[in-house]
Amino acid sequence: MTSAVPFSRPVRPERLPGDAEWAPRELMTLPGRSRDVRRWRLVEIRLGGRWRPALLTVWRRPPGSTGWVVHVRWDDDAAEAGPGTAWGWFLYSGETVRPLPEPGGPAPARAPFHGVWRDAITVPGELAGTPDPDGADRCWRLAWVRAGGGWRSGVVTARRRPGPDVPWIVHTRWGEDKQAAWALYDPAAVRVLPRSDAPADGPAGAAEFLDGTPVRDRGHTAPETAG
């Protein structure tokens, strides 16, 4: 619950036919208490005349409203033109904001799965190495994370190799941002979605490696480089 709803979106991209509709300022600043439901879900949203993979983080019912507005983020602020240009509040419609399907198919026959789905292998923080002083290991990538016996909507916020000849590890966040861990980077258990500005040659939300190569083109070995 909130008694006041901040709304900051000074500049909005031009809305094209079929795009998701931005929540009007008047609706977001109504006096009274809003009902908020914080629930992360990977979705695709129609913006700029195309579908973009994104993370729905909050459902909100403004005071007196019979409909929902949703908070959706599709990129890191640092990757866009500036703060507030990688997210927004939108009037919810199943025609313009729709959930991405969870990964399907059988578990890999290789280790560590051997035909049975297992959670991503976590790495203790003390073994994760030190951050790059220039921030080169930071990133913001949407991902399906295998945790708690199922697929979780999440974000990869960093990736690095702790040492020479050591597998890549990634820092993942999920569970409404209440859970986070370093994990071995195995694209079978951490399914990174393509960047929102990547050319669409398949369904929105298809998994890829951190270097941008689609999973379908690379098998299941860890990447040699991460972009």
Side-chain angles (χ1 to χ4, degrees), residues 154-165:
V155 178
V156 173
T157 58
R159 73 274 191 271
R160 70 171 69 121
R161 260 182 169 157
D165 302 319

Side-chain angles (χ1 to χ4, degrees), residues 76 135-141 155-159 171 195 210 227:
D76 184 16
D137 56 353
R138 294 197 299 267
C139 64
W140 195 92
R141 302 297 302 275
V155 178
V156 173
T157 58
R159 73 274 191 271
H171 189 261
R195 296 184 183 276
L210 283 177

Side-chain angles (χ1 to χ4, degrees), residues 185-202:
Y185 178 52
D186 185 331
V190 181
R191 303 280 184 96
V192 178
L193 272 59
R195 296 184 183 276
S196 60
D197 58 355
D201 61 351

Side-chain angles (χ1 to χ4, degrees), residues 30-127:
L30 286 172
R33 298 171 68 85
S34 298
R35 178 188 176 194
D36 281 9
V37 179
R38 186 174 175 82
R39 185 180 301 149
W40 280 19
R41 185 63 166 87
L42 289 173
V43 299
E44 55 183 359
I45 183 170
R46 189 78 179 176
L47 288 174
R50 64 188 178 96
W51 291 101
R52 303 181 68 159
L55 182 65
L56 190 159
T57 61
V58 181
W59 293 80
R60 173 169 293 172
R61 178 161 284 176
S65 174
T66 59
W68 291 92
V69 296
V70 289
H71 182 270
V72 180
R73 176 177 284 277
W74 53 90
D75 212 334
D76 184 16
D77 282 330
E80 294 281 342
T85 59
W87 56 267
W89 289 95
F90 297 87
L91 300 180
Y92 174 71
S93 167
E95 299 296 319
T96 57
V97 179
R98 58 194 188 190
L100 287 172
E102 293 185 1
R110 62 177 175 82
F113 304 99
H114 301 292
V116 178
W117 280 114
R118 304 179 188 277
D119 290 352
I121 299 174
T122 58
V123 177
E126 58 270 22
L127 300 180

Side-chain angles (χ1 to χ4, degrees), residues 140-181:
W140 195 92
R141 302 297 302 275
L142 300 168
W144 289 106
V145 181
R146 190 76 188 182
W151 291 106
R152 312 299 174 192
S153 298
V155 178
V156 173
T157 58
R159 73 274 191 271
R160 70 171 69 121
R161 260 182 169 157
D165 302 319
V166 176
W168 285 94
I169 62 174
V170 290
H171 189 261
T172 59
R173 308 189 71 90
W174 71 96
E176 288 66 61
D177 210 19
K178 296 177 182 177
Q179 295 175 279

